[in-house]
Amino acid sequence: MTLLCVPIFVRDAQQARRDTALAAEAGADIVELRIDEMTESFSVNSFGVPCIVTNRPTWEGGRCELADEDRLKILAKTADGAAYADVELETLHRVAGVPDKIGRPLIVSSHDFQTRPAKLNNLIIAMNEGPGAINKIAWAARTVRDNLEAFEILQRRDKPTIALCMGEAGIISRILAKKFGAFLTFASLEDGVGTAPGQVPIARMKRLYRWDSIGPQTKVYGVVGSPIAHSMSPAIHNAAFDQTGIDGVYVPLLVNEGYESFKAFMESFVPFEGLDLSGLSITIPHKENALRYLTEKGGQIEPLAQRIGAVNTIAIDRQNGSVKLSGRSTDYAAILDSITNKLQAAREDLAQFRVAVIGAGGTGRTAVAALAHYGATVVVYNRTRDRADALASEFNGKTGKVVSAPMEKLCDSCCQIYINTTSLGMHPNMDASPFDDSVPKLSPDSLIFDAVYNPIETKLLRQAQNAGAKTINGVEMFVRQAAAQFETWTGKSAPMDIMRNVVVDALSMRA
Ligand code: NAP
């Protein structure tokens, strides 16, 4: 069993006891008491939770400035009654007789807060040969690929081992530690009080990342992008796994901009034995890179995704040792299905509609391609007219008719459906709307769809409601694209209501 350990910086014995109790209440199996700043020892005998005691020197990224002998004295006294004491591999080199001085089972550790240690394998060999009961190695992830090396260290361990990558790119080494049989992983008591970069708060580890459900067979899914820290996708997909009882976990995968980074990620993660990577959401800036990669690899690509020029979903099917990759766009399906669901119509019925697509960026392009594919007449409005012209001429006549018109004429238009795919009205510029202050002629049959989801109710949607029109908010699109991904990967129908609640909750916390 992999333990969930909450590290606590100790300021005094009372605070250490209080935080230990809070950690236990939050579900910690063990705590690490970082006594770097203590000048006196204290007793952990009645803390009620197994403890690791650590007195980390400044030269290993800690805060203790004492000479080694003095530092070890406080460590030994405080660790009396603790489950383990952590000492640095370097301390074993600097000081003779450390195991006898400490007298507790040792975690022998090595940390690099800058980069991957050049002699990583030598460090592991030295730890294996040393007196420790447990090896611990942690380094700052250079890229997300460093996590794979941490997983390999766990897979090949000779002793119980902790192998972690620090920083945002290293988060998966913490979440998936249990899948790879680590001795423990660290989770902070709260946001911002961790002892190393990238620690996830314990509540989030348990609820968001499904810590209790993770096991060796758990399938791994994730969102590939940069930046990725504020993505709502882990919350929505993990909630869906929870609700449907699927043995999966969905994680953020920070992959730097550029095709080469994306390719390197795919080439290392997809075949990695034991990771069971089974599906990927692709977000900015990698949707075009995903299409290019699948094209190069001969992966199956949905024709409309090909025409849009972007893939936001990759399914990874493993059968009899072979891996099949396929790509699609669930963004376009989300746009179409949000509309047809609201109108109680079939996709084919869209041929009867005249639709204004406002914006000619990625989402605008997706909307135009999807609507034109189903025969709608589309008018593209965009701040930069040239982009609207180019988009219209690219998709005009494929099935539906696509034309462009000046943004200033938007309010004179006579469309039945208006879709805003610009960022107008998005937080923090919530007073903006593509309609400005004059609204086109709307009726109860008009439909206004705003792709912006933060805030959920935009100025545009309020203008539409005041004019008596039907509305669709950006949450609907977000939920539907995620639901379609879930269904692509699992073959099960997605729990849309749960997914919607998760997004609404997440957005209300941000408001
Ligand atoms: P994008 O590719 O960067 O395109 C941005 C579009 O907005 C362009 O057409 C741009 O016009 C226009 N624009 C930006 N600032 C403007 C301004 N001040 N006035 C007028 N037009 C302006 O972005 P995207 O990825 O398509 O995203 C667009 C919006 O859709 C964002 O709000 C995003 O949050 C939302 N979105 C929602 C979902 C969902 O699931 N609900 C999914 C994806 C995106 P120019 O060509 O003139 O620059």
Side-chain angles (χ1 to χ4, degrees):
M1 183 182 101
T2 300
L3 304 175
L4 195 50
C5 178
V6 168
I8 294 166
F9 269 125
V10 179
R11 294 186 300 278
D12 58 65
Q14 254 187 348
Q15 164 261 332
R17 180 190 293 279
R18 202 173 49 240
D19 283 356
T20 298
L22 289 174
E25 199 179 304
D29 303 303
I30 190 166
V31 294
E32 182 194 35
L33 301 172
R34 286 284 302 270
I35 61 165
D36 312 11
E37 291 182 328
M38 295 293 283
T39 47
E40 309 254 320
S41 62
F42 60 97
S43 169
V44 301
N45 275 326
S46 57
F47 270 36
V49 179
C51 299
I52 301 164
V53 183
T54 304
N55 199 1
R56 189 80 72 226
T58 47
W59 48 259
E60 181 96 6
R63 298 179 183 178
C64 183
E65 291 175 342
L66 297 174
D68 288 335
E69 289 288 347
D70 296 335
R71 178 170 64 84
L72 291 175
K73 259 186 212 151
I74 297 183
L75 175 63
K77 270 186 116 174
T78 311
D80 184 33
Y84 301 95
D86 177 312
V87 291
E88 306 69 33
L89 180 64
E90 186 59 24
T91 299
L92 297 178
H93 296 148
R94 291 160 70 119
V95 182
V98 169
D100 292 338
K101 285 183 168 54
I102 302 294
R104 304 299 307 157
L106 293 184
I107 297 177
V108 173
S109 62
S110 175
H111 307 80
D112 192 324
F113 287 85
Q114 304 304 322
T115 188
R116 174 195 179 278
K119 295 184 175 163
L120 189 59
N121 287 337
N122 292 359
L123 290 174
I124 308 285
I125 291 166
M127 286 177 183
N128 283 339
E129 289 170 352
I134 290 151
N135 296 343
K136 176 188 175 194
I137 180 105
W139 72 93
R142 296 161 303 174
T143 73
V144 73
R145 279 177 290 137
D146 274 359
N147 294 285
L148 299 181
E149 213 168 357
F151 299 148
E152 269 169 8
I153 290 169
L154 293 173
Q155 285 171 326
R156 296 190 195 144
R157 65 189 178 269
D158 287 341
K159 290 183 182 180
T161 297
I162 304 160
L164 293 170
C165 291
M166 295 183 278
E168 193 187 344
I171 279 177
I172 63 164
S173 69
R174 301 182 183 279
I175 301 168
L176 300 180
K178 197 171 172 198
K179 180 171 170 65
F180 289 95
F183 174 69
L184 63 74
T185 200
F186 294 96
S188 62
L189 193 51
E190 285 166 17
D191 246 332
V193 300
T195 52
Q199 281 172 4
V200 177
I202 184 165
R204 211 177 298 159
M205 193 71 127
K206 286 224 160 212
R207 254 184 277 131
L208 172 57
Y209 293 118
R210 317 191 67 225
W211 176 260
D212 295 326
S213 308
I214 295 176
Q217 307 304 323
T218 301
K219 288 187 174 171
V220 175
Y221 301 82
V223 54
V224 176
S226 175
I228 209 67
H230 297 293
S231 170
M232 288 188 293
S233 295
I236 197 170
H237 283 289
N238 283 320
F241 290 149
D242 246 1
Q243 177 68 18
T244 51
I246 286 172
D247 187 10
V249 63
Y250 186 104
V251 294
L253 296 158
L254 177 67
V255 175
N256 297 335
E257 200 166 339
Y259 181 65
E260 289 312 319
S261 298
F262 182 80
K263 183 174 175 181
F265 163 79
M266 291 297 287
E267 306 269 280
S268 53
F269 269 65
V270 172
F272 190 84
E273 204 71 40
L275 181 61
D276 302 310
L277 189 67
S278 302
L280 294 169
S281 308
I282 312 294
T283 187
I284 293 167
H286 290 304
K287 290 185 186 184
E288 290 82 9
N289 293 333
L291 176 64
R292 178 173 161 194
Y293 181 74
L294 291 175
T295 308
E296 277 181 20
K297 289 283 153 187
Q300 192 191 332
I301 303 163
E302 187 190 30
L304 202 44
Q306 190 115 46
R307 199 175 300 165
I308 292 165
V311 157
N312 82 331
T313 309
I314 294 179
I316 304 163
D317 288 323
R318 297 167 196 283
Q319 264 159 27
N320 310 324
S322 76
V323 178
K324 222 179 82 199
L325 299 178
S326 55
R328 59 173 297 203
S329 161
T330 63
D331 285 334
Y332 91 77
I335 291 172
L336 292 175
D337 296 343
S338 298
I339 296 172
T340 53
N341 180 60
K342 193 78 182 181
L343 298 178
Q344 295 290 299
R347 285 184 179 184
E348 287 67 26
D349 298 334
L350 292 170
Q352 305 156 23
F353 287 87
R354 186 176 167 89
V355 186
V357 172
I358 310 157
T363 313
R365 183 182 172 79
T366 305
V368 169
L371 290 157
H373 181 78
Y374 283 95
T377 299
V378 181
V379 189
V380 187
Y381 296 87
N382 192 49
R383 177 179 61 178
T384 309
R385 178 71 195 269
D386 290 353
R387 289 184 83 189
D389 293 347
L391 185 56
S393 61
E394 187 180 343
F395 287 98
N396 184 32
K398 291 260 159 54
T399 318
K401 186 174 173 204
V402 186
V403 294
S404 66
M407 192 73 168
E408 308 80 70
K409 297 280 182 202
L410 176 62
C411 290
D412 303 336
S413 95
C414 49
C415 292
Q416 294 118 310
I417 302 174
Y418 293 80
I419 309 178
N420 175 39
T421 70
T422 74
S423 45
L424 282 166
M426 190 168 91
H427 180 86
N429 300 315
M430 296 182 299
D431 285 337
S433 156
F435 285 169
D436 247 334
D437 287 325
S438 57
V439 174
K441 232 172 104 198
L442 300 177
S443 76
D445 289 331
S446 308
L447 175 60
I448 313 293
F449 179 171
D450 201 341
V452 172
Y453 55 75
N454 186 14
I456 300 172
E457 192 189 72
T458 57
K459 179 175 176 188
L460 174 66
L461 294 180
R462 281 196 303 277
Q463 289 173 310
Q465 280 151 12
N466 290 340
K470 299 185 184 69
T471 58
I472 300 171
N473 62 32
V475 168
E476 195 58 24
M477 176 179 167
F478 187 77
V479 169
R480 284 181 183 274
Q481 62 80 29
Q485 293 184 325
F486 178 92
E487 288 168 6
T488 301
W489 299 326
T490 67
K492 292 197 176 187
S493 70
M496 293 244 301
D497 288 345
I498 299 281
M499 296 168 94
R500 197 174 285 112
N501 290 345
V502 167
V503 177
V504 171
D505 283 354
L507 289 171
S508 16
M509 278 199 287
R510 284 182 196 181

